[in-house]
Each structure stands twice: as C-alpha cells, then as structure tokens.
C-alpha cells in the first residue's frame, strides 16, 4: 500500500528526529515535514517541507490532499512549563490541532493518526509508583488537562467514527540533536550540555525528584512501532503508558560523573518543582509491551554515554 506521511511540528525536539528516521525508512519524498516555522537546513533540504499552521484546518486539508497523505504524526503542542505561562494559548493549540487532524481522519482524508499524550495526564492523586494504565487522573497543569482531554477525544473518535488513532504517553524525552521545547523534564537534556561546557549545573528541580524518562532513540522506536502494529493489536485508543528509565537529578549527575568526575550539581527549584511533584515516579507499561511488543533499550548509563559522546562532537 502506498504510504505518504505528514509530520506536523516537525521542527521540534521529537519531530526533528522522527522526520529523519521516517525519511530514512520510507524514502525522503514520502515524508512531508511541516511546522509553523522553517527548520534547520537538513530538515528543509532533505525532503518536502511545508510551512503550516496546525490550527488552520483548510491549509492542513490542502497539504493532506495535495500530497495524498495517508498517515499523520501530530507533534505540534505547547508543553507543560510554557503552557503554565500561556494557559489559553496552550489549550487552543493542543486541542484545535488535534480536532483538525481527527476530523480529517473522520472524513476519510487520512488513514492513520499518531498523537502523543504525556505522563502529565496524571496528577497528585495518582499512585506515584508503577502508575497503572487505568488509574485516577487529576492533572493540575493546563498541559496535562489538554492531554487528558485529548485522550478522551481520541478514544471517542475511534469508538464512534472508527478513526485509527494511536497514542502513547511519553515520559520526559532526552536527546542531543535538538533542544527540548519548554517541558518540566528539560533539565535532563540541559544537564549534559552544561556538564560539557561548564562542568557544573544548577538544577531547577530538587535532588530527589524522580521522574520517568526515555532516550530519544527508544521514543522514536515506540512511535513508529505503535504506528506499524496491526490494527487489531491496538487495544487502547486513549493512550498507552510507556516507560523506560526513572531517575532523579542526583542519579543523573552521578552517571555523568563517571565520565566527568569534576562535574558538580546544585539545586535551585523553581515553579517547575510543583509540576514535577504532581507527576508519577515510575510507570507500569505492561499493556504496551503485551499488546504491540514495546521494549526499551537504553539504561541511564547507556544514555549518558550516548549523550556525552554525541554532544562532545558538537562542541
Ligand atoms: P517541541 O516544543 O520541541 O516542538 C513542537 C513543535 O511544534 C515546534 O517545532 C513548534 O514550532 C511547532 N508548532 C507550534 N505551534 C504550531 C502550530 N500552530 N502549527 C504547527 N506547528 C506548530 O515539542 P516536542 O518535545 O517535540 O513534543 C512533541 C509532542 O510530544 C508534543 O505533543 C508533546 O506534548 C509530546 N511530549 C513531549 C515530551 C518531551 O519530553 N519532549 C514528553 C511528553 C509528551
């Protein structure tokens, strides 16, 4: 079957690497990257690129029809920390972009949709350890509320209209190619940059803040993995729990010190501490593992080695 992919929000932290991966896999001309802004040279030159506002239904529909798109990956969103600064903007972007894509699928203009949710759907009343797939969900951030609502709509569009929408609840994603875009887990990327540049890091979360995290390569494999799974194996149409590693700032700094012994971390928690405190520490993702064969690969130390090696080349 002919496959044509549209990535919306392709210039972001995850979109950049997803675009690269999918272009390698399916051929550059089959993967149309789009974002509200232009991307880096590699993104613009390696395959088709459209400047596109995910909130503009007509513009989105034109691109879908012109390129005969079959699969959409909707990566545009406003993340947790930025969302708290611009609540209505976050709500409008996160919800309207999702409705636009779900409605295109409902009208049969695309076959399959990927939309990421987040561990931010959980809140202070959720069990913090091995958070189950189905549990109490009382998110306290605008971002978390938008993701939880999005999950409900995804399931609704699947139940009522048969829309083939697939979703995972990403933990904090750690990568070296692009910088993260305003989330609460951003420290776990920044710390590697600062370790190499200054040998010290001032962390905006306290030493004991354990959060679920994942190396980018694992996140991309999960994303493409769920999209390639048999439709019958996707039993959850809200969003799947997904896990890899959990650690706190002290543990990641110890992992860095194995390579840079003089590295030092200090702590100055800010408003993001409260967000982090409302999220789980570890996630039970057994259903993703059972249903469509999810398996993570990277441990904390393996990720540290990859991050430091690749960033060293950059600097
Ligand atoms: P990001 O902020 O790095 O990238 C988002 C991209 O969307 C940016 O390139 C931005 O220019 C683009 N964008 C913003 N408004 C747009 C619009 N109106 N139309 C088109 N594009 C627009 O985000 P990310 O970290 O790559 O996250 C991608 C998805 O994964 C989001 O849905 C996010 O909520 C989810 N997620 C990410 C993480 C993480 O750790 N990165 C964790 C959980 C969930």
């Amino acid at each position: 079957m002919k496959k044509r992919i549209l990535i919306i929000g392709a210039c972001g932290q995850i979109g950049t690497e997803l675009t690269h991966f999918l272009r390698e896999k399916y051929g550059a001309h089959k993967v149309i990257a789009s974002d509200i802004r232009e991307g880096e040279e590699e993104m613009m030159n390696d395959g088709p690129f459209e400047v596109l506002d995910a909130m503009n239904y007509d513009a989105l529909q034109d691109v879908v029809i012109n390129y005969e798109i079959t699969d959409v990956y909707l990566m545009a969103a406003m993340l947790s920390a930025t969302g708290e600064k611009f609540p209505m903007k976050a709500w409008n972007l996160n919800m309207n972009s999702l409705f636009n894509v779900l409605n295109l699928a409902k009208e049969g203009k695309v076959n399959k949709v990927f939309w990421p949710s987040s561990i931010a759907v959980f809140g202070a009343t959720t069990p913090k350890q091995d958070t189950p797939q189905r549990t109490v969900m009382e998110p306290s951030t605008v971002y978390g509320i938008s993701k939880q609502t999005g999950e409900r709509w995804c399931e609704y569009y699947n139940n009522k209209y048969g829309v083939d929408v697939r979703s995972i609840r990403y933990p904090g994603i750690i990568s070296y190619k692009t910088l993260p875009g305003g989330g609460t887990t951003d420290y776990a990327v920044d710390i590697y940059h600062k370790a190499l540049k200054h040998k010290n890091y001032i962390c905006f979360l306290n030493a004991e803040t354990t959060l679920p995290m994942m190396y980018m390569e694992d996140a991309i494999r999960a994303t493409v993995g769920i999209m390639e799974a048999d439709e019958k194996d996707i039993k959850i149409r809200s969003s799947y729990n997904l896990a890899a590693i959990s650690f706190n700032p002290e543990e990641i700094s110890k992992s860095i010190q194995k390579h840079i012994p003089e590295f030092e971390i200090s702590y100055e928690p800010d408003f993001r501490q409260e967000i982090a405190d409302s999220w789980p520490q570890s996630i039970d993702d057994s259903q993703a593992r059972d249903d469509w064969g999810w398996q993570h690969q990277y441990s904390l130390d393996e990720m540290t080695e990859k991050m430091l090696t690749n960033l060293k080349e950059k600097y």
Side-chain angles (χ1 to χ4, degrees), residues 186-246:
D186 290 8
Y187 91 85
V189 177
D190 201 27
I191 195 170
Y192 289 111
H193 289 262
K194 297 282 167 34
L196 285 167
K197 279 202 283 196
H198 311 305
K199 314 268 181 272
N200 67 63
Y201 181 64
I202 303 170
C203 187
F204 61 74
L205 300 180
N206 69 33
E208 302 83 38
T209 311
T210 299
L211 289 169
M213 303 273 191
M214 181 176 287
Y215 186 52
M216 180 65 86
E217 219 176 287
D218 276 336
I220 299 295
R221 267 190 320 101
T223 305
V224 177
I226 193 172
M227 281 297 266
E228 290 195 335
D230 260 10
E231 197 171 347
K232 65 168 176 29
D233 291 334
I234 307 299
K235 296 180 181 128
I236 290 176
R237 293 298 183 156
S238 52
S239 192
Y240 276 95
N241 273 7
L242 192 79
I245 43 182
S246 281

Side-chain angles (χ1 to χ4, degrees), residues 25 35 48 54 63 87 102 133 161 178 184 188 207 227 275 293:
K25 186 174 170 69
D35 202 289
V63 169
L102 288 177
Q133 175 68 43
Y161 312 123
T178 30
T184 302
M227 281 297 266
I275 302 178

Side-chain angles (χ1 to χ4, degrees), residues 11-14 35 37 52-54 75 77 143 147 170-171 173:
C11 299
Q13 188 200 5
I14 303 175
D35 202 289
R37 59 186 165 104
L52 179 65
D53 180 355
M75 310 309 284
Y143 176 70
K147 290 293 186 187
Y170 287 138
I173 308 296

